[in-house]
Amino acid sequence: MSNCLDNRVSGLDLNHESCELALEVIMTTRILILEDSAAQSSLLTTVLQKTQLRPQIVYANTVCNAEQQLLSGCFDVALTAPGLSDSGKLESVRRLRATARDLPIVVLANSEDGRLAVDTLSAGAQEFLLTSQIEPEFLERIIRCSTERMKQDREIREQRVQLQQKLESYRHLLCHVSHDFRTPLTVIREYASLMQDGVVGELNSEQRNFQQIIADRADDLSNMVDDMLDSSRLEADAIDISRRPARIDEIIRMVRTAIGRKSLLSDVKVTWSDTTEIPEVFCDPQKASRVLTTLTTKAIRSCSEPGHVHISISVDSARSEVTVSVSDNGPGLDASELNMLLTRFQQPGLSTQRCDQEFGLDLTIARELADLNWGHITVESKLGVGSTFSFTLPVNDHVTIVSRNLSRLTRLNTVPSIACVRVALADCDDEWDADQIDAFWMYTLQRHDLVLKQRDHVWILLLPTQRTHVGSMIERIEFERLRVNQNRFHGALPPLEFAIIGVFDIGDVDDVIRAVCEPDCAPHGSLCNSWPDSPLKPVESMFPA
């Protein structure tokens, strides 16, 4: 009937002379009755003996005794009351489940209580019955259903573990293949660059065209590798993000050469709007450039002849965001295609549905990268006129940044609270030291952490964490600073002073904004710590259990 029966079958020699005895053992149902009422135990025994289960019953009148029975023997099912004299309400169920993970548990209660029935199932039981419902046929059916359901649950758990192992193997394989693929790809790109620079001699027009095609296709392959890696990392929620203040010009410079080469090969004219009046944004410039590259590449491929792509940048002051739009003069999308794409952009996560297959995984990854920068992608299209894909980036404003960060954390349902920590250089006002700490934050903080510069030599850290774990996170940061100092050639990172301003619920947006934006707010009832440069502590002492 259950895993216990499977164990008994595997332990028998079916070729033995006593096959009849073996069959009797196999067909026996071992039942543990946990009940401190002798009358109730007697009633259950009488009912069970009238069933076709061939019950072999073991009795326990305390939870401790039942735990000992489970550890010393194998059972097909346990019948118990919701509460016993030696344990609290439903404590018997929780302890039985903790002792025997795969044991079907049926709870028998004297009174009908809807809330108790729900709590019983939540505690780990498979069934909740009233003693007035105990009839031989009904109880037998309940026991058989419970054991079969538990067996199916166990098989599902095992299949889930196998799938997770296969998925992990796939991710490792993808990382190794991508790494091995990058090595020859890098060589191709470097040699193409040497040819372009004339190191191997001047190129004629045809040779230069071939060289540009090689470089362009190498860029395409590099982007494909990035898409494969990002797809794997996004599914595993392990992609890195390094947000900081940035200019739109900086993001454009990262992609302008590659876009220019691609447009030249495709005979498409690309124009850019003026960016002089565009305010600073707060994002990961690398991720933003990936989104811009993806949208522009798709626009170039979609153009009609003569091809024209226009990239415009505008500011939405009401939403405190910058919008980057990429427009083409291609055939456009019909109503069904546009509706499919808009629906996909409103759904979180990656998928393999028809939209991704038609429009490409790179567009879905671009949407995820835009979301990491607290923005979104939209599309407008008119059949026969062309399409405009746009993505947004938040303006470098602390109120906007904090609001969008908390909104995303709430949507992801990561942790219920966030710590606001002020960090300052200890007895140091050197600008070089401040720049080094800026760089230190970029690779030290984890993907959901956020650092904002409050003023010179003072930063605010927003750390999603449990209220009791704030000290451990500060110790982790300080441990990393000391570790880095062991390997630096250009001087040690200066000591840091930490002050916990407060720990807030994720939904307390106004309180978090007030803690970040008021420069002179003092820690209210919170812990202040300062770590001078001291010998590196062992990891165990830095991270207490």
Side-chain angles (χ1 to χ4, degrees), residues 276-296:
T276 54
E277 301 298 325
I278 302 301
E280 199 173 50
V281 295
F282 193 89
C283 67
D284 183 330
Q286 187 67 36
K287 302 294 187 294
S289 67
R290 286 281 310 282
V291 177
L292 180 56
T293 299
T294 297
L295 299 186
T296 307

Side-chain angles (χ1 to χ4, degrees), residues 237-244 282 284 287 372 374 405 408-409 412 414-415 418-419 438-452 460-466 469-470 472-480 543:
D237 194 30
I239 193 167
D240 295 328
I241 183 79
S242 298
R243 307 182 190 95
R244 59 177 176 83
F282 193 89
D284 183 330
K287 302 294 187 294
L372 285 172
W374 305 318
N405 182 46
R408 186 170 191 274
L409 291 176
L412 295 177
T414 51
V415 291
I418 188 166
D438 280 331
F440 171 71
W441 297 133
M442 290 299 101
Y443 65 83
T444 299
L445 297 181
Q446 298 177 354
R447 63 189 308 265
H448 294 305
D449 300 338
L450 175 64
V451 57
L452 298 172
I460 294 293
L461 303 182
L462 293 179
L463 310 174
T465 183
Q466 301 289 343
H469 296 169
V470 182
S472 297
M473 297 191 73
I474 294 176
E475 285 187 341
R476 173 181 61 81
I477 295 171
E478 181 60 13
F479 174 82
E480 185 64 21
F543 300 95

Side-chain angles (χ1 to χ4, degrees), residues 189-203 207-208 211-212 215 257 261:
R189 297 176 72 180
E190 290 300 321
Y191 273 90
S193 179
L194 291 173
M195 292 171 62
Q196 182 183 20
D197 295 339
V199 174
V200 294
E202 289 298 322
L203 305 180
Q207 290 170 336
R208 187 168 296 279
Q211 179 274 328
Q212 290 177 343
T257 300
R261 181 169 57 241

Side-chain angles (χ1 to χ4, degrees), residues 57-77:
I57 302 173
V58 176
Y59 302 94
N61 56 9
T62 66
V63 178
C64 291
N65 183 232
E67 290 173 329
Q68 293 174 358
Q69 294 288 353
L70 290 174
L71 292 174
S72 61
C74 188
F75 292 88
D76 294 303
V77 66

